[in-house]
Amino acid sequence: MKVFLIIILLALKSFYGFSQNDKKIDSLLSEYKTKPNDTSKVSTIAHLFNSLLYQDIIAAKKYAYEELSLSKKLDHEKGIALAYYHLGVYNNNIDEIDSAKFFYSKSLKIYQRLNDDKSKANVNHGLAILEYSIGNLKSALNILDENIILYSKKPMDSSNLATTYTLKGGIYRQLGKYKTALNECVNALRIYEKLNEEIRKADALGVLASLEFSLENYNKSINYNTEALEIYKKYNDKQYTAQALNDIGNTYFYLNKYDEALIALNESLKISEKINSKDIKATVLGNIGKIYTKQNKFEKAIKFLNESISITKKTGNKYKTSESLNDLGILFNAMNKPYKALPLFDESISISKKIDAKLNLRISYFNKSEAFSKLNKNKIALNEYKKFTELSDSIFNKSKSNQIEELRTIYETEKKEQQISLQNKEIEILKQKEKNSNLQRLLLGIGLLLTLIVIYSIYQTLKRNKLEKEKITNELAFKKKELTTHALHLAKKNELLDDLKQKAKAFKDSDDTKNGYQQLIKSINFDLKDDNNWENFSKYFQEVHKDFNFNVKQKFPDVTTNELRLMSLLKMNLSSKEIANILNISPDGVKKARYRLRKKINITSEESLEDLVLSL
């Protein structure tokens, strides 16, 4: 279904405003003529741009440049940023991608300097639409995910959040991820219904229509699009009217109702030419070309499809280019000219792979298989058909369709439940008004008071729990600090005593009074073997790592006391030198102890002893 452009249009309109009626424009023009050249006039010009954008794009462009000129004269930075933004919108709408990027970038720099998150998000949205329009779908999703965070901040920007969900739904639909697409669309619809924003609800309906089309629920798709079309006509939104008519016409094509399809498509073509919308025009031309192919009016079909491809290549719309190339290839297959069709399918496949357009890729493989079959190259044809079936299985498997149906059912059920709940509330209110008794008011007051008491009690409990948790956390941190300090002190003490011992030995060898020095060495040896310091260390260690000794004994019951000491020091991430000092052994002794321990607990040389100990 050629619905790629509707997503872009919906996203543009939702962010850039829309005209509700001619009276609003008349009122704004009256303000514009009477206001002095100050910042309030800049604001009026900005509203005029939004109101005219989808009715008279040339007039909208004029006001955007006037908005920029006046803002510069007033040195009004926000006005300058907004004017650049509007010029980006204008160029986006006429498919001038490079110019749109240029103006968006200038706007974004100012908003970043002003630290204006909401406006930054709006410009980001415009950039996401640009990425989407040229087929960089994953890049567009990354930008939109960033915007969801910005719009979810307090106070929440619900309206723009919903529009972001709508655009994400359209992108996921393009990627063939229908469950995710429907989920995003449902999120948007829920917000729009709460906000009672009729025209934006129509936008989401357009995306739902495209999803129903992808599931071949054509009548449901037409119903959603028709509902959206009525809203667009009500608000005089010509661009969306043209797009909805295009999608309705294209859906009739798949129902083999070619006369109804041509009526809708020709009406859409007239509007798209009038408002100079290149992408809509290209889409309509392609759809009309498909109909003429089915009617065997091949010369007409070639003319329309070639014109569609020419426009999409100029605008840089890769997705639509790959679509139209497929349609032209299908036409040449129908004319029994497969040698002309194959280069078109290959070009479409190359584009589709670059932009991850699975739906277009699937169509290319199927029709390429048919072309090779016509050329009696059955082995190659079979290979291409296998590619088609593999891709089809990944996109259209049964479970995915069931999941989508489940989501749709959940949404419709919740909607009905909300309506029933609302009706019940209204009935209850009428009953309460009918009774209108002091007793009811008293009971209501008591209930409210009890609720407040319960809420306050819960709040106090949560507060106490929070304070207790903080206390325990602080105590544990203090104990860890004590443990580390004690371990380092123990290592330093043993290192110092060992050094003193060596000096005493040297002194003894050079002096006759050997008995006194021998006594000194024995005393130091006694201190080195004293377990008091180790007992203190063990006490601190067990307070911090409560279950460590137990876990070791459970898992490795043959571990000795000395080996348990070594594992405790490894648990603290101490170096081999520090461990050697604490255990009063040489660094080589530590290596031997580690080797014996590894052998006892049966771990290989490739496994990490430290990782094992830390996991206990």
Side-chain angles (χ1 to χ4, degrees), residues 12 63 90 165 169 198 536:
L12 285 167
Y63 284 115
Y90 163 75
Y165 283 134
E198 188 178 30
N536 290 334

Side-chain angles (χ1 to χ4, degrees), residues 198-199 202 205 226-236:
E198 188 178 30
I199 197 162
L205 287 169
T226 302
E227 187 179 348
L229 178 63
E230 290 173 359
I231 298 172
Y232 293 142
K233 286 184 174 180
K234 175 182 174 181
Y235 287 90
N236 197 25

